């Protein structure tokens, strides 16, 4: 039905306030799939591919930060991650989250096996890099380099994205 030209449509202020979050939500729904498809940084050396390196923002420097990454061994020979280095921390180390009798601890890991033909993720709740003695606060949206040291492949450096404090996976949508 067509309205006469002199008729106008009035929407109450309350109705406008209810519609705004819906419109904003629709906009966010349109953007989120694009963010999930963002490309992860990936570096390959020999048979290893290293990708989706990320950390969380920190509040100051008193507490350690974390480092997560996905490592794929495309070869037929096992390798081992033996350490990490970065300019943002005075003492970067490999750790593993272990839960025993309901109590979680994070002991130092001397090395992490990267079996041939497998993918290993340093991820929340498992193996991870612990960045202790931070040189500066890690701020969301920034990035920093981390060098991974492998027994056979040697050193591999990758850019590490700093995500929000509550992040649970890489921003590119690849679960670490």
């Amino acid at each position: 039905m067509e309205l006469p030209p002199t008729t106008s449509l009035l929407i109450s202020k309350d109705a406008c306030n209810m519609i705004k979050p819906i419109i904003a939500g629709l906009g966010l729904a349109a953007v989120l799939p694009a963010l999930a498809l963002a490309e992860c940084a990936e570096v390959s050396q020999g048979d290893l591919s290293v990708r989706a390196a990320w950390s969380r923002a920190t509040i100051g420097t008193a507490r350690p930060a974390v480092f997560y990454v996905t490592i794929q061994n495309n070869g037929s020979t096992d390798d081992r991650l033996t350490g990490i280095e970065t300019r943002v921390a005075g003492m970067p180390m490999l750790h593993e989250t272990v839960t025993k009798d309901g109590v979680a601890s994070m002991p130092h890991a001397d090395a992490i096996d990267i079996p041939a033909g497998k993918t290993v993720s340093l991820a929340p709740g498992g193996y991870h890099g612990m960045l202790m003695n931070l040189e500066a606060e890690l701020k969301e949206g920034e990035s920093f380099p981390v060098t991974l040291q492998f027994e056979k492949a040697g050193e591999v450096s990758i850019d590490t994205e700093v995500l929000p404090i509550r992040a649970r996976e890489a921003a590119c949508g690849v679960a670490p």
Side-chain angles (χ1 to χ4, degrees), residues 27-128:
L28 188 59
V31 171
L32 283 178
L35 291 176
L37 297 176
E39 192 171 319
C40 285
E42 183 168 344
V43 179
S44 294
Q45 182 165 313
D47 292 329
L48 297 183
S49 293
V50 178
R51 68 179 182 279
W54 65 284
S55 184
R56 292 189 185 112
T58 62
I59 299 172
T61 60
R63 298 197 37 105
V66 293
F67 167 73
Y68 302 119
V69 68
T70 298
I71 305 162
Q72 184 173 353
N73 185 343
N74 299 307
S76 57
T77 306
D78 295 346
D79 206 336
R80 299 177 81 208
L81 176 62
T82 58
I84 56 173
E85 291 181 358
T86 180
R87 61 178 164 75
V88 303
M91 194 164 64
M93 299 175 72
L94 297 174
H95 281 224
E96 179 182 17
T97 302
V98 177
T99 304
K100 184 176 180 182
D101 298 326
V103 177
S105 64
M106 290 182 264
H108 170 72
D110 290 327
I112 299 171
D113 292 329
I114 314 295
K118 301 289 182 184
T119 299
V120 175
S121 293
L122 278 64
Y127 286 112
H128 57 278

